[in-house]
Amino acid sequence: MVPTLSQAGFVAADRVGRLGTETVFAVSAEAAALAAKGKTIYPFHLGDLNIPTAEHIVEASLKAIRDGKTTYCPNAGIAPLREALAADVGAARGVHYGVDNVAVQPGGKPVIGKFLLAVMNAGDEVLYPNPGFPIYSSLIEFFGGVALPYGYVEGADRFHLDLDGIERQITSRTRVLILNDLHNPTAAECTAEEHERLAELVLKHDLIVLCDEAYFDVRFEGASRSLVSLPGMQERCVILYTFSKKYAMTGWRLGAAIGPKPIIDIIVTLNVNWESCPNHFTQYGALVALTGDQSGPREIMARLHGRRDAALSLLNATDGIRCLVPATTFYLYPNVTGALKRLGCADHESFRRLVLDATGVSFCTRLHFGNALAGEAEYYLRLAYSGVSTSQITEGLDKLRAFVNAGGPTGPHGTPEEKRR
Ligand code: PLP
């Protein structure tokens, strides 16, 4: 008998021990398993959209396949798409980009790893948001960097990043800042003053910045701002752009790195080494997405707006839950500290499982976006409403409300005053 790899004593490479993951996908798999057994699930866990890609985008890609765009293409992506991205992203941020500033990618996510490989040496410190997209710390550590988390503070009407925490942690080894304005999961975005302070820090400490702007165009009111618009920042910032969210194209896997030519040139060489080039024919769909009729993204935003408001009104009618009104992203990040107490839950995970079993409402918690930071005393959930219809939102969150308001299966826990609420 030939021994299996593990019988033969296979040991993975050392670096694999430092590789993280997105535990959100495990919640998704758990919910899918429950649904397969016949349980009604209200899927608030994944930042995917249940809205189809607009027909003209699909048609342009199908035509590209028929036209023979089934070969390799330039390593950095097709020139018309790079030009369109440079024009669109530059205009929205009040800066000029040219074709050489753009490297098309198979999704926004690959920009994170390629950026880090291009700018970070082993032992360099990288500031990253926590709570935040879990891939940042995973790849910083995988590539031998030192991940320094900075947090967010819940204010009266918005979350804001802990600028003091950022400043406090900077040392002579700090090389990179990862900034996710229009933040997943809190929807926080910097004010003009916060951007100014950040820009000062970046210049003073000679930092390079990854501006993860995956949600830059996903907003209900106001206008998005980018750090790149401030003097001196365009030369130090690489933008993570994605078609996933704005155009409901998550499964197309299309995005771009946009930034200073010396870094983009390295990222293009990484393209050569990784995938040779992005998928050829989907780029023609992306080109039409950017340059064609924009009623699709407007309709997506209108639908998301209705969902956001439906979810907010039920969450805020639930005892022990309070949720700020986000102007951007398709996530809600309610504070559920009171609800945990009401249900007698000691931690995030026991609350998540209790509610999932009792109501079918499936969501992630703060801990799917990094380990709690020192001193963090409040409990939060992240609900993505991009993949749930308004009627499902209403049905599911009404069940959640009834369950929590009743105090769970055994009635309210906590002090007499908390029980009366
Ligand atoms: N950055 C953030 C903050 C995200 O939330 C996501 C996806 O959820 C991404 C990047 C990557 O998205 P994609 O790879 O689909 O472009």
Side-chain angles (χ1 to χ4, degrees), residues 22 47 106-110 112 133 136 180 182 184 212 214-215 240-245 250 253-255 331:
E22 263 191 84
K109 197 185 240 180
I112 300 169
F133 197 48
Y136 307 137
N180 176 210
L182 297 87
N184 173 12
D212 181 341
Y215 300 93
L240 178 158
Y241 179 92
T242 180
F243 287 90
S244 288
K245 317 288 176 171
T250 49
R253 310 310 303 134
L254 265 177
Y331 304 116

Side-chain angles (χ1 to χ4, degrees), residues 115-116 120 124-130 136-137 140 145-152 161-171 173-180 198 201-202 205 207-210:
F115 165 84
L116 289 171
M120 184 194 79
D124 283 350
E125 294 171 350
V126 180
L127 287 153
Y128 76 98
N130 176 351
Y136 307 137
S137 58
I140 295 165
V146 179
L148 300 180
Y150 64 84
Y152 286 79
L161 83 175
D162 178 11
L163 266 161
D164 293 336
I166 291 181
E167 189 162 10
R168 235 189 349 260
Q169 293 192 76
I170 297 178
T171 71
R173 298 304 314 262
T174 313
R175 171 116 177 99
V176 178
L177 167 69
I178 298 182
L179 178 65
N180 176 210
L198 268 180
L201 286 178
V202 167
H205 298 283
L207 305 180
I208 312 267
V209 188
L210 175 66

Side-chain angles (χ1 to χ4, degrees), residues 60-65 67-75 77-81 104-106 252-254 275-287:
S61 273
L62 291 175
K63 180 172 180 310
I65 293 179
D67 290 348
K69 307 296 185 196
T70 48
T71 57
Y72 294 121
C73 70
N75 308 118
I78 59 170
L81 181 60
V104 180
Q105 298 298 319
W252 290 62
R253 310 310 303 134
L254 265 177
E275 63 271 340
S276 295
C277 62
N279 175 299
H280 194 170
F281 50 84
T282 51
Q283 293 179 71
Y284 288 87
L287 180 59

Side-chain angles (χ1 to χ4, degrees), residues 193-239:
E193 294 72 35
E194 285 165 341
H195 269 160
E196 271 170 32
R197 206 174 141 201
L198 268 180
E200 264 174 42
L201 286 178
V202 167
L203 290 174
K204 182 169 164 202
H205 298 283
D206 194 19
L207 305 180
I208 312 267
V209 188
L210 175 66
C211 293
D212 181 341
E213 298 184 349
Y215 300 93
F216 192 84
D217 298 307
V218 182
R219 65 176 312 128
F220 306 106
E221 57 250 339
S224 296
R225 269 183 301 264
S226 172
L227 187 67
V228 297
S229 311
L230 278 81
M233 289 300 101
Q234 195 183 352
E235 293 73 32
R236 293 179 168 270
C237 294
V238 171
I239 293 174

